[in-house]
Amino acid sequence: GDSVTQTEGPVTVSESESLIINCTYSATSIAYPNLFWYVRYPGEGLQLLLKVITAGQKGSSRGFEATYNKETTSFHLQKASVQESDSAVYYCALANSAGNKLTFGIGTRVLVRP
Amino acid sequence: EAGVTQSPRYAVLQEGQAVSFWCDPISGHDTLYWYQQPRDQGPQLLVYFRDEAVIDNSQLPSDRFSAVRPKGTNSTLKIQSAKQGDTATYLCASSLTLNQDTQYFGPGTRLLVL
């Protein structure tokens, strides 16, 4: 089946430092799945951060970027300079061939120190 | 536009008791999903509907779990005779159509089975 592996947390960084959360995937249902990053801020529900549907393309949102690399089957999330408000749990996910089943990674808790 | 709403937000049960979770999707979304998210894991799909029809319930533990969406709007997920292993957060999500892979999540119901 499909699977997603991502950086185990918690990841602690200081404000203004850079952040990278690694994500690799294995998709058996589709060669080039749509890829997502979801985020859950404290006290809030899971929400879409960004998605990329074309291999080789980059998605960006709220200062975060992720590039769809089909050669390495990776979709790492990066931010050059984090803020305390980026403290959250980040989930990498892929969609199956029909686009209606999401497979999530375990989530990476990020703590940003002021 | 109102988001996905769920109730209750928390539930605490003894083993063997029953519990129901309720979900109201975003208005106009025909597809509704139920996920189970154990602690420190990613969400795992249990069942999903298009309108009132179950599309896939293969991951639903059918002996104790059931889900309905009788009018194609609100949905109820029920656990009969809960077990400690059912302790998790139960998430509801909706999408505009069946093949629209952007899902919008509710805040979840946190279940603790003692």
Side-chain angles (χ1 to χ4, degrees), chain A residues 34 51 91 98-101 105, chain B residues 33 37 42 56 98-99 101-102:
Chain A
N34 294 352
K51 80 173 189 182
Y91 296 88
N100 50 24
K101 284 187 180 181
Chain B
Y33 306 81
Q37 185 175 13
D56 187 346
L98 185 61
N99 296 319
D101 60 12
T102 298

Side-chain angles (χ1 to χ4, degrees), chain A residues 34 36 38 40 43-48 51 53 91 95-96 98-107 109, chain B residues 9 31 33 35 37 40-45 48 55-56 58 91 98-107:
Chain A
N34 294 352
F36 306 80
Y38 277 83
R40 191 180 73 241
E44 299 184 19
L46 200 60
Q47 57 187 276
L48 180 66
K51 80 173 189 182
I53 63 173
Y91 296 88
N96 69 337
N100 50 24
K101 284 187 180 181
L102 292 178
T103 298
F104 286 87
I106 62 170
R109 182 175 301 275
Chain B
R9 294 296 307 273
T31 306
Y33 306 81
Y35 290 83
Q37 185 175 13
D40 296 329
Q41 295 187 33
Q44 297 157 14
L45 184 65
Y48 67 103
I55 302 301
D56 187 346
S58 61
L91 300 171
L98 185 61
N99 296 319
Q100 163 58 258
D101 60 12
T102 298
Q103 297 181 22
Y104 299 84
F105 285 80

Side-chain angles (χ1 to χ4, degrees), chain A residues 51-94:
Chain A
K51 80 173 189 182
V52 178
I53 63 173
T54 304
Q57 297 297 306
K58 180 168 66 177
S60 60
S61 174
R62 306 180 199 180
F64 287 90
E65 296 181 338
T67 300
Y68 189 157
N69 188 321
K70 65 182 176 64
E71 285 78 25
T72 59
T73 63
S74 66
F75 191 53
H76 306 320
L77 184 68
Q78 304 182 71
K79 189 171 186 181
S81 176
V82 296
Q83 302 172 330
E84 200 174 348
S85 58
D86 294 323
S87 295
V89 183
Y90 294 83
Y91 296 88
C92 185
L94 65 82

